[in-house]
Amino acid sequence: MMPHRRHVLPVFAVLLAVTIVLPILAVIPVSFTPTSSFAISSPESWSPRWYRELLTNPVWLDSLVSSLRIALLAALVATVAGTMAALGLRRVRRTHRVVARALVTLPLLIPLVVLAVGLYAMLIRTQLVGTTAGFVLAHALLGLPLAFITVSASLDALDDNLEQASRGLGAGPVTTMRLIVLPLVAPGVIAGALFAFVVSFNEVVIAGFLGSPYLRTLPIEMYSSMTRSTDPTVAAAATFVAALTVITAAFALAAMSWRRRHLTRKD
Amino acid sequence: MQDLAQRGASIDLDGVHLSYGDTAVLRDIDLRIKGGEFMTLLGPSGSGKSTLLNLMGGFARANAGEVRVNGAQIDHLPPNRRDMGMVYQNYALFPHMTIADNIAYPLKRRKMSKSDRAALVRAALAMVDLHGFADRRPSQLSGGQQQRVAVARAIVFRPQILLMDEPLGALDKRLRDEMQSELRQLHEEVGSTVVFVTHDQEEAMVMSDRIAVMNGGRVEQVGTPHELYSRPRTTFVATFLGESTMLRGTVHAVGGQSIFHYRDTRVPVDGHDVTGSGTLLLRPEQIELSEDKPLRSTNVLEVRIENVESLGPTRRTKVTLPDGASGIVREPGSKTSRLRPGDTAWMSWQVGASWVVPEAQEECPHE
Amino acid sequence: MGSAVLSGAQRRRPRRIQGELALLAPAALLLAVGLAIPLGLSVWLSVVDTTGGVNGYVWLFSNPVYLEITLRTFSTAALTALVCLALGYPYAYAMLTAGPKMRVFLLGCVVLPLMISVLVIAFAWLVILQPGGLASKLFPLGLGDGLLGTLPAVVLGLTHILIPYMILPLYTTMRSVDPKLVPAAMGLGATRTRAFWTVFVPLTIPGIASGVVFVFVFSLGFYVLPQLLGSPRQALIGQTIHTQVNDLLAWGRAGALAVVLILGTAAVFALLTGVVRIVGANRRGGRS
């Protein structure tokens, strides 16, 4: 791009970067607004009013608790299934592994609405709409590829000789898995679990189909609040959700770079 | 202090064959390794030496044939029940454990008491000169130190057999020379049978009691370094272990005596009942060069000097043989010589030094 | 002698692998129950369910409104992909040529929308674009007003969410281009601009293609964001599916729309990965 103008490109990139980040930050001053509108307030007038509303109004609080419960369970299921699949696919022939990896990552590529309709059609026939089990199934499916990909990456970086060495030194396959393989891929497993948690916690499309008056997740509550009114509690919720996402993702990235720094050989 | 000395076990391989799909990696291998012996598997990459080592360790399974330790068949045993110490080129230390935990790992697997464990770990660390490193992590150690830890971990549980897969391959030349003599000494002290894999012929010659030279999934020849050097059975073994001059000719039996014919030259050779075409092998230090034609008529060839390299204590001369092939001569540097490239000279050798390698035996249909 | 040996080999190997394949069971179950059955059910319903007397496909193809919606959805996705490419290509190139600190900053900024909830981003733009909001203050001529509730606002939101999926593959591909090639072309007499367009850009086609695939495919499936930033009069497939199922219980119609969406997604995916494969094959052939 116009390589002869040396500064045009960096300036453009920084502007775009700022345009990507700033609108998201605009949510914060709205969440502290003292008024009952989506007004961007100045810091001296800030009030914690809408955060109090978020944590005391049973409608908001219940949805927050439901979201956390579903996200934790979904992350657990996705991580266990994804980790086991990553372990199981290690010694499989290359062509088979490529097919299996494509299948496991498929949930990422199917349009969410399509998945949501299908899940809704199935769960309504089994009376699981509006239940934690239904949500966990759907969200675990979305978390599965993420857990699988991060754990696979950790396993790929694992030196095969370590397992051989452990076997040769007297450990059986199960002991080797427990003492050598799992501790070494643990950061990858943790990162995968955190990503799966974030995806479930933020998911709104499938939740829009599967929710019921008795079980609503926080994103659904936020969505219906946005379409209904200008209640700034949604800004507090959005800030909370975004902060939790960024913190969780930061932990996941930290776990992965810790593994790179401490558990791989320096040559 | 705990004693790590051990009595090495013998290993016997009988008709071992291993293939992946259509590719045979090991072909009908018979090998006897004596208890306490330092046996090296030497060969180029892809010759099957590492696979053979993995087979002994239980990490690969043969399609046919069997492996016996002290006479007992072990093919069905998983690696963790074979009691063999293994050392890898990349050390394979567990990065999430301290040095002491790494070394104690095989002892814990054997349910040894804590106090016995501590004593053995201390003894093993002492043996590889790493006192005071017990609480460090592998990533805090240099390559040479990591390799010592790997060795300590492999000997600490007193295995009767030590398997080493190019353990010095990742070290630089100086460190490698140092570790060679250390490993040799360790072998003397510990007494286990060592099976050592390398592609470095010099390393193999320095360290081994015996060497098995491997090529294309077969064992070409087994013998002491000296036997392999002076009495190679195939041209592959001859060229893989050191330089040589090769004269291609034929062997005829005349009376009770075998005579090697090379152009007009006739050389009596001993100890060969082979007739037919073959290669007369001369090691560089067995040949003498002179400017004038020596008086005797056998064991003498007229050659042209190609180049002369002075290497200090020795002088290495490359010559062109009458048939166009080239030869190598190494003489003491102190011997005066006026030979220059392009000169004609005479090479000669002692009759006893002659050794004939028969032409590719296995491909001879009538054999 | 070979055959006896080989059959022995085949009998010995698989036992261990079978044990490891058992580890795949939970993931396989999850994919079967969570993906295969629901998708199969949708397809089945699209054929057999006859809300209003006709099957979903007949309804879809006899109603020009819904064909229009389908067309609008795909063109919105295409537009989003183009905008992402136009903004993302120079951005990725800036990342490539930037110093290490600048690169980390640019990378960090672009990874953010990858993780942040769609709702948060939609809400942010709702705040900015609302009447009397930030946009109308920044663009006093009324340019910022009136944007909310239009298709351009939807494209804006989609671009914001999906631009990482353009920039990251582009950057990865650009990094794999030999940095000596452009100077080499200039050494052969090309101007800098010409060398850039004739040497560098063609080598990044795989990155362009995968970026476009991701953005296009993901754009097709949104319904929350168009619902919040767009207008019900300019609905997209996602919203229509939601309406048909939740409000009208018309499973056959929703199923038919879902099948159209999936087929469209698969077609775009196949087309563009095909481009990548052909370009890649040509490149390999040319190099050797």
Side-chain angles (χ1 to χ4, degrees), chain B residues 50-228:
Chain B
S50 289
T51 310
L52 189 58
L53 195 76
N54 280 331
L55 187 95
M56 297 181 202
F59 303 110
R61 283 197 90 169
N63 307 124
E66 62 177 39
V67 184
R68 289 189 307 274
V69 169
N70 277 345
Q73 205 196 320
I74 60 158
D75 298 86
H76 58 285
L77 284 181
N80 46 317
R81 291 180 49 208
R82 291 197 176 193
D83 250 351
M84 299 182 186
M86 179 122 183
V87 181
Y88 296 87
Q89 176 173 2
N90 67 357
Y91 326 130
L93 298 181
F94 305 132
H96 56 306
M97 296 183 190
T98 62
I99 300 310
D101 286 342
N102 262 283
I103 299 176
Y105 190 85
L107 305 177
K108 281 185 195 155
R109 303 288 79 75
R110 286 165 178 76
K111 315 264 186 259
M112 195 173 278
S113 78
K114 202 169 178 184
S115 57
D116 287 353
R117 241 159 45 203
L120 278 169
V121 169
R122 259 200 311 283
L125 277 172
M127 198 154 225
V128 294
D129 277 331
L130 282 176
H131 332 258
F133 284 80
D135 295 325
R136 307 241 186 131
R137 299 242 167 200
S139 58
Q140 296 169 300
L141 266 55
S142 72
Q145 289 168 334
Q146 290 191 42
Q147 192 53 281
R148 287 196 181 131
V149 175
V151 170
R153 188 178 66 177
I155 60 171
V156 73
F157 59 104
R158 290 180 278 203
Q160 293 184 310
I161 294 167
L162 275 175
L163 307 177
M164 302 196 174
D165 194 356
E166 307 228 11
L168 310 181
L171 305 177
D172 63 41
K173 174 98 181 81
R174 237 188 53 215
L175 207 53
R176 196 157 64 222
D177 291 348
E178 205 181 299
M179 283 295 286
Q180 281 173 4
S181 55
E182 277 184 34
L183 280 181
R184 207 40 253 213
Q185 202 192 336
L186 195 96
H187 173 240
E188 307 271 305
E189 289 170 29
V190 173
S192 314
T193 308
V194 173
V195 185
F196 186 95
V197 163
T198 184
H199 64 266
D200 180 340
Q201 52 99 5
E202 229 174 278
E203 188 168 281
M205 302 285 267
V206 171
M207 302 192 69
S208 324
D209 292 328
R210 288 196 302 156
I211 300 173
V213 180
M214 295 192 63
N215 183 31
R218 281 180 219 283
V219 173
E220 294 245 340
Q221 190 175 353
V222 185
T224 64
H226 182 256
E227 274 167 13
L228 294 177

Side-chain angles (χ1 to χ4, degrees), chain A residues 1 20 38 113 117 219 223 249, chain C residues 115 119 124 130 160 196 221 227 241:
Chain A
M1 295 283 113
I20 289 172
F38 292 162
V113 185
V117 171
Y223 174 67
Chain C
M115 299 176 291
L119 272 177
Q130 69 183 330
H160 194 175
F196 179 80
Q227 194 75 21
I241 291 178

Side-chain angles (χ1 to χ4, degrees), chain C residues 84-184:
Chain C
C84 282
L85 179 62
L87 294 173
Y89 201 90
Y91 192 94
Y93 193 71
M95 275 172 68
L96 184 74
T97 50
K101 274 186 192 156
M102 178 73 157
R103 184 176 304 143
V104 169
F105 168 76
L106 293 177
L107 186 66
C109 288
V110 86
V111 167
L112 190 67
L114 204 60
M115 299 176 291
I116 293 287
S117 162
V118 181
L119 272 177
V120 174
I121 289 177
F123 178 68
W125 286 107
L126 208 61
V127 169
I128 292 168
L129 298 179
Q130 69 183 330
L134 212 56
S136 55
K137 283 184 192 131
L138 281 178
F139 305 101
L141 296 175
L143 270 171
D145 277 333
L147 198 58
L148 193 65
T150 64
L151 223 41
V154 175
V155 173
L156 178 69
L158 286 175
T159 303
H160 194 175
I161 292 164
L162 296 175
I163 200 162
Y165 294 99
M166 178 63 79
I167 291 174
L168 295 177
L170 274 177
Y171 174 64
T172 313
T173 313
M174 286 180 183
R175 244 182 18 172
S176 69
V177 174
D178 185 348
K180 288 192 286 292
L181 283 179
V182 169

Side-chain angles (χ1 to χ4, degrees), chain C residues 30 77-78 89 97 105 107 188 215 237 239 245 268:
Chain C
L30 199 52
Y89 201 90
T97 50
F105 168 76
L107 186 66
L188 296 170
V215 174
I237 289 190
Q239 294 154 274
V245 168
V268 171

Side-chain angles (χ1 to χ4, degrees), chain A residues 153-253:
Chain A
S154 294
L155 281 172
D156 287 346
L158 187 70
D159 176 3
D160 276 346
N161 280 347
L162 291 180
E163 276 167 89
Q164 267 205 23
S166 166
R167 296 298 310 278
L169 293 168
V174 177
T175 311
T176 300
M177 181 59 69
R178 189 166 56 84
L179 295 179
I180 307 297
V181 179
L182 286 182
L184 288 174
V185 299
V189 174
I190 291 167
L194 292 174
F195 286 134
F197 175 86
V198 165
V199 161
S200 166
F201 192 72
N202 286 340
E203 201 287 318
V204 61
V205 177
I206 295 175
F209 282 83
L210 300 189
S212 75
Y214 313 104
L215 182 62
R216 294 158 72 89
T217 61
L218 188 60
I220 282 306
E221 204 51 57
M222 288 167 67
Y223 174 67
S224 65
S225 167
M226 272 187 250
T227 50
R228 226 176 29 231
S229 64
T230 54
D231 173 6
T233 313
V234 74
T239 309
F240 176 80
V241 164
L244 188 68
T245 304
V246 169
I247 291 167
T248 314
F251 271 114
L253 295 176

